Amino acid sequence: MPEWDNPRNKAFIEAYRKKYNGETPNVHAYAYWETLRLLAETANQAKSTDKDDIRKILSTITYDGVMGKVTFDDHNQANLPMILFELVDGKPVIKGTFSTQIKYPSR
């Protein structure tokens, strides 16, 4: 979402456009960028590439992503910042933000 006014987002868009001849990143570019950066940060904090060490860090990490903070809940589900937008005259207009945090039923 290039319209998202956030310093990390703006830096990502600038770097992406520089690398890819002015092309604007799409949702896939964001997803792959964030996934790779999150795994790299997790491995760095774990000081390991072992899957069990990575999993342990993922359960406690707070990752500052392009769109905002990402955390994981006790079910290993990511809580992600999301943007709600509407197309107005063919252009996206941001209507608000929300988190993907899941409210689990009590057992």
Side-chain angles (χ1 to χ4, degrees):
M1 186 78 190
E3 293 76 18
W4 185 241
D5 190 14
N6 167 315
R8 288 179 189 274
N9 188 43
K10 290 187 181 299
F12 169 68
I13 292 166
E14 182 180 326
Y16 191 93
R17 285 179 174 157
K18 184 176 179 182
K19 175 77 175 168
Y20 296 104
N21 300 319
E23 183 180 329
T24 298
N26 62 25
V27 68
H28 303 293
Y30 278 93
Y32 295 129
W33 168 263
E34 291 287 55
T35 300
L36 184 59
R37 301 272 305 180
L38 173 61
L39 286 173
E41 176 63 23
T42 304
N44 186 46
Q45 286 188 28
K47 297 179 176 50
S48 171
T49 56
D50 178 78
K51 66 181 179 188
D52 293 327
D53 295 338
I54 298 285
R55 187 177 292 120
K56 188 182 300 181
I57 294 297
L58 277 175
S59 69
T60 63
I61 196 169
T62 297
Y63 168 74
D64 289 318
V66 171
M67 303 306 286
K69 292 199 182 295
V70 177
T71 60
F72 290 82
D73 67 18
D74 61 348
H75 290 78
N76 297 320
Q77 295 296 311
N79 297 321
L80 304 168
M82 302 294 284
I83 299 171
L84 180 63
F85 69 93
E86 176 182 14
L87 288 177
V88 177
D89 296 325
K91 297 186 189 244
V93 175
I94 295 172
K95 295 300 201 175
T97 62
F98 62 97
S99 170
T100 61
Q101 184 174 11
I102 299 169
K103 304 289 186 201
Y104 298 98
S106 58
R107 295 179 188 200

